[in-house]
Amino acid sequence: MSVQVNDEASGAPPVPQAQSPDGSANSSAGNTAPKGRFGLPTATALVIGSVIGTGVFALPSALAPYGPISLVAFVLVTVGALALAFTFGALSKRVPGSGGPYVYARDAFGDFGGFLNAWSYWITAWAGNAAIVVAWVGYVEVFWNTGHAKSWSIVIAMAGLWIPAAINLSGVRNMAVTQIVTTVLKFVPLLFMATVGLLFIRAHNFGPFNAGGTSAGAAISAAAAIALFSYIGIETASVAAGRVRDPQRNVGRATVLGTIGCAVVYILGTLTVFGTVSNAALRTSTAPFTDSADAIFGGRWAGHTVAVAAIVSGLGALIGWTLIVAEMPMAAAKDRLFPTAFARTRRGVPAFGIVSSTLLASVLTAVSYSRFENVFTTLVLLSVVTAVIPYLFSAAAQLYWLLTRGRRTRWRHLARDCGVSGVALVFSFWSLAGSGYQAVYYGAFCLLLGLPVYIWLKSGRGEYGESPVVPYDAPAALAAPAGRPGTGGLPS
């Protein structure tokens, strides 16, 4: 038995979606209605709130070693991000339910492809939270721990990770309200800096166009890998699609609108900082937007205002990502492609996933402060590599479908959609190449650590290769001994 889902984007014929015996959708299990749903404004706020964290506030310092040529990289990354946004919008119409890149990869490439995406994205989310909180600490220390004592920096970081976790554990409603409020509070000052700040740009602050001393191509690729981190999160509406009202309409809109809004603020805001703070000072700055505001208005009050906005922004991003870090594993767990513990919910939210992922982010943050010299950039590049893999699979899944089942659409629409997906695919490969050997090494190592987990999950049910997926039943899974044949048990 199957349920038909129309592809409104391309006019393609319905695509069958597998169902469980009780008639519920079997893909990602995210199609089961969660306790709380939100509309287009909250979905857009989730995208903007997840994309614009504290990364944008620290990004100018990370790009400063490359010089103004990094703005060229930013524009190219924006084009690629928009191609990905349109790709996610099209995919969300054809493959509904929570899980985003996980469900798209599984639909096209089977269980193993889906698992690899869920595993990689899960690493991205909690490692990305560690990167966000490191940048967030830099702005908190504008007011407290101004000497940057590492022990206190770690304490502040732990607070920044666990407060958002507590808000999410209190329920989806509280998360949604907080997400909208923090998005507004951070977007307004950033937009102000990205518009009014342009009037205070001075050419001598930019320094050499290519300050890194490498070739232009190498500088653009390296800067693009860092700039891509600022767009990680454009897929969050598709990851949480099962919680969005009218997802076939609202997920795509929220993704594109959120990406465009972020792009305007990012490019113009970075341009303002580059033009108001000298390149030498920017390289050592831990709060570049604060320094820019001080340079524009004089005194400390303007910088402090921006620092407060950055603190609010970071909390908003961490609140959104703390939900997302558990949402995709929950979708995979309901398809029995992740440990079943990730499917357990409390007040409508995946509590185990939130707590366990926050613990991992806490450990990584503490280790980073004691081991890594350039904490933010190291964590950024690791997050970029593990994020690009799901992006690459998503673009490939859309292109694969267009070249097989999508041929029945009008050739003009097919050429357009293939072009967009092709740009997204090339962009993903380019970002991966620009991340550097060390980041790709660590990213590949973390990705391949998932292989033993996949073997454990499949062997626990006596499955080999592609097997029919039995929908997750929480009471039965909890009652049955793990891995016993015929009971539906699964190691957790």
Side-chain angles (χ1 to χ4, degrees):
M1 185 177 178
S2 65
V3 58
Q4 306 296 323
V5 181
N6 293 323
D7 184 353
E8 299 175 6
S10 61
V15 179
Q17 297 291 319
Q19 282 194 339
S20 63
D22 65 357
S24 60
N26 194 22
S27 178
S28 84
N31 296 322
T32 50
K35 292 183 179 180
R37 286 180 179 267
F38 43 79
L40 179 61
T42 301
T44 305
L46 180 62
V47 173
I48 295 175
S50 299
V51 172
I52 299 181
T54 46
V56 63
F57 290 95
L59 204 64
S61 294
L63 294 175
Y66 304 102
I69 197 172
S70 58
L71 292 171
V72 177
F74 226 140
V75 172
L76 294 175
V77 167
T78 299
V79 173
L82 285 171
L84 281 169
F86 282 109
T87 299
F88 283 125
L91 285 164
S92 67
K93 291 179 179 180
R94 196 178 75 250
V95 189
S98 289
Y102 156 69
V103 292
Y104 309 149
R106 182 168 178 262
D107 179 68
F109 306 114
D111 287 355
F112 187 59
F115 169 80
L116 280 181
N117 277 264
W119 179 263
S120 185
Y121 194 84
W122 179 60
I123 294 171
T124 295
W126 57 260
N129 278 357
I132 292 171
V133 84
V134 165
W136 181 79
V137 168
Y139 281 92
V140 172
E141 290 180 343
V142 170
F143 304 100
W144 188 56
N145 190 34
T146 55
H148 306 295
K150 285 188 177 181
S151 57
W152 281 112
S153 294
I154 293 173
V155 171
I156 296 169
M158 294 304 106
L161 289 170
W162 286 99
I163 290 173
I167 291 173
N168 272 277
L169 291 171
S170 68
V172 174
R173 189 179 192 85
N174 291 338
M175 184 281 297
V177 171
T178 311
Q179 192 63 251
I180 292 176
V181 171
T182 55
T183 297
V184 172
L185 289 177
K186 68 184 171 184
F187 196 75
V188 171
L190 277 173
L191 189 61
F192 180 82
M193 289 289 292
T195 52
V196 176
L198 295 174
L199 302 174
F200 297 87
I201 287 177
R202 298 294 180 267
H204 66 269
N205 286 320
F206 286 101
F209 182 67
N210 184 1
T214 61
S215 67
I220 290 174
S221 293
I226 296 174
L228 176 61
F229 177 76
S230 60
Y231 283 111
I232 292 178
I234 59 174
E235 73 289 339
T236 49
S238 66
V239 174
R243 300 183 181 276
V244 180
R245 288 193 296 271
D246 192 7
Q248 289 194 325
R249 180 183 182 189
N250 288 332
V251 168
R253 289 185 174 188
T255 302
V256 174
L257 288 174
T259 303
I260 292 173
C262 293
V264 171
V265 169
Y266 276 163
I267 295 174
L268 297 182
T270 304
L271 179 63
T272 295
V273 175
F274 272 24
T276 54
V277 182
S278 70
N279 184 265
L282 204 54
R283 293 187 185 210
T284 58
S285 174
T286 58
F289 271 85
T290 292
D291 294 340
S292 178
D294 286 339
I296 291 172
F297 300 104
R300 301 290 296 172
W301 66 270
H304 286 176
T305 302
V306 172
V308 170
I311 292 169
V312 172
S313 176
L315 281 176
L318 287 164
I319 289 167
W321 274 107
T322 300
L323 172 67
I324 295 303
V325 76
E327 197 75 17
M328 189 181 292
M330 181 175 70
K334 288 182 176 180
D335 282 342
R336 295 188 176 276
L337 291 176
F338 233 70
T340 56
F342 285 90
R344 298 168 189 161
T345 61
R346 177 179 177 270
R347 296 182 180 178
V349 296
F352 176 83
I354 289 172
V355 172
S356 60
S357 300
T358 304
L359 278 171
L360 287 170
S362 300
V363 172
L364 181 59
T365 302
V367 170
S368 298
Y369 270 110
S370 60
R371 297 290 182 87
F372 301 153
E373 182 178 349
N374 195 338
V375 181
F376 179 71
T377 303
T378 302
L379 292 176
V380 161
L381 290 175
L382 174 61
S383 301
V384 165
V385 171
T386 52
V388 164
I389 292 169
Y391 291 172
L392 196 153
F393 268 88
S394 297
Q398 175 68 352
L399 193 61
Y400 180 28
W401 184 86
L402 288 169
L403 294 175
T404 52
R405 301 184 184 183
R407 292 180 179 178
R408 287 167 284 184
T409 62
R410 294 180 181 178
W411 71 267
R412 290 182 180 177
H413 292 169
L414 179 62
R416 178 200 63 196
D417 294 343
C418 283
V420 171
S421 300
V423 169
L425 188 66
V426 171
F427 168 70
S428 299
F429 276 115
W430 178 52
S431 301
L432 195 63
S435 298
Y437 294 112
Q438 186 178 34
V440 172
Y441 167 78
Y442 285 122
F445 183 80
C446 290
L447 177 68
L448 294 176
L449 281 177
L451 287 174
V453 177
Y454 185 78
I455 293 170
W456 171 51
L457 292 168
K458 283 288 191 176
S459 63
R461 298 196 304 274
E463 294 178 0
Y464 180 81
E466 294 294 319
S467 303
V469 175
V470 180
Y472 174 76
D473 179 14
L478 293 175
R484 182 180 297 173
T487 64
L490 178 67
S492 60

